[in-house]
Amino acid sequence: MSDNTSTPQNSPAPETRPAAAETPPVSLTGKGVPRPTPKATKYPGGPAADPAGSHHERRIRSFQPRRSRVTAAQEDALKRLWPVWGLDIDGHRVLDLDKLFEGRPVVLEIGFGMGEATAQMAEGDPDTGILAADVHTPGQGNLLRLIEAKGLTNVHVANGDAIILLREMLPPESLAGVRVYFPDPWPKKRHHKRRIIQPEFLALAASRMAPGALLHCATDWEPYAEWMLEALTADPHFENTHADYAPRPEFRPRTRFEGQGLGKGHVVRDLLFRRV
């Protein structure tokens, strides 16, 4: 992997898009709210602490940054490999996905945990690019470590808010798929508004997905699975590829997190909807 890490491959020339283009509903935009300068990272050359200042937006976020210890191996990967395979979701440029992924079709994965499943999927399908977005620093470091260990060239790690990534940094109809695996279910009723699968999110994601692209969701929280199925069925941009829930496709690995849920008696549901 040393040849792949010596020269950065994720530095597409910035493009300019009018700020008013393709603005989604107000609840997602935070329109007119200035973003502060990103906070400095504790890892020189690594991911920014808050690349877009997204906590200043007037919307409810679907994620909570998790604080956990970064191991020495993860820290080393963040310092060495972030300039090669990482990018901050700052909202200030539109990504050239063809250049970034060398012409591969690109799937956006929102929330990859520690990255084991992402690396496994990338290794099993080297002709597909994976843009993996998360805010969990140890997971970012671990995925970078796996990218190097497996010699992967089809994964880039994005740090920050996936809504900003979709809304401001991805061109319309540029994605071959979107994956949302085991998002926070926010089980309390008063927190349901924080769930990422909402009509506004689906409309935004659909605008960035090419016709025929696949939206793949998975959850081990049955009430959230029902919520997802209802929201996706009601959205005119998508059609279900199955009668209701789908069997787990072979390309989605069974993760440790999933195994823990199954051990507790949870039922894992996959949903596969196609962009029409």
Side-chain angles (χ1 to χ4, degrees):
M1 187 60 186
S2 58
D3 290 341
N4 291 331
T5 58
S6 60
T7 303
Q9 300 179 25
N10 68 332
S11 302
E15 298 179 12
T16 303
R17 187 176 65 191
E22 300 254 340
T23 49
V26 173
S27 62
L28 287 177
T29 62
K31 188 176 180 181
V33 180
R35 297 192 184 93
T37 302
K39 296 179 182 178
T41 177
K42 64 182 293 187
Y43 309 106
D50 189 7
S54 55
H55 56 285
H56 284 269
E57 291 201 11
R58 294 193 186 106
R59 65 177 174 85
I60 297 169
R61 292 198 294 178
S62 62
F63 62 89
Q64 289 279 23
R66 291 173 290 157
R67 301 289 180 253
S68 57
R69 187 177 69 86
V70 176
T71 67
Q74 293 162 1
E75 180 174 349
D76 175 68
L78 287 166
K79 290 178 178 178
R80 291 189 302 103
L81 303 177
W82 187 259
V84 183
W85 302 113
L87 62 93
D88 282 314
I89 301 172
D90 55 19
H92 296 320
R93 58 182 172 138
V94 178
L95 299 176
D96 184 341
L97 295 182
D98 281 340
K99 184 175 181 180
L100 196 63
F101 289 94
E102 301 179 329
R104 297 179 179 94
V106 178
V107 171
L108 171 64
E109 183 177 359
I110 299 175
F112 55 79
M114 295 305 292
E116 292 98 338
T118 304
Q120 189 173 337
M121 288 186 290
E123 187 176 29
D125 185 10
D127 294 329
T128 296
I130 300 179
L131 181 56
D134 209 314
V135 296
H136 187 47
T137 308
Q140 293 167 353
N142 197 58
L143 180 52
L144 289 169
R145 185 184 63 80
L146 292 170
I147 289 172
E148 182 177 56
K150 293 177 177 289
L152 303 176
T153 61
N154 59 328
V155 184
H156 285 274
V157 184
N159 166 51
D161 190 337
I163 296 298
I164 293 174
L165 177 62
L166 282 164
R167 189 184 73 215
E168 299 177 22
M169 298 181 69
L170 294 178
E173 298 188 359
S174 59
L175 295 174
V178 174
R179 296 168 179 166
V180 187
Y181 297 157
F182 304 99
D184 193 327
W186 296 102
K188 295 181 180 179
K189 187 174 182 180
R190 68 177 183 271
H191 291 156
H192 286 182
K193 59 191 175 184
R194 295 185 177 275
R195 290 175 170 175
I196 190 170
I197 303 300
Q198 305 277 357
E200 295 89 350
F201 169 80
L202 295 177
L204 177 61
S207 73
R208 301 303 185 251
M209 297 171 67
L214 205 62
L215 175 59
H216 184 191
C217 301
T219 181
D220 67 336
W221 191 257
E222 189 71 19
Y224 198 8
E226 295 169 357
W227 170 289
M228 290 176 173
L229 183 61
E230 181 179 352
L232 279 161
T233 301
D235 193 296
H237 302 100
F238 296 99
E239 62 180 4
N240 200 343
T241 63
H242 293 76
D244 43 38
Y245 300 114
R248 181 178 68 85
E250 292 185 0
F251 66 80
R252 183 178 74 74
R254 182 163 288 166
T255 64
R256 285 181 293 172
F257 176 85
E258 183 176 357
Q260 291 170 2
L262 292 170
K264 296 175 183 177
H266 297 182
V267 176
V268 175
R269 299 293 192 185
D270 284 79
L271 299 95
L272 289 166
F273 278 73
R274 194 175 308 281
R275 173 73 165 95
V276 297

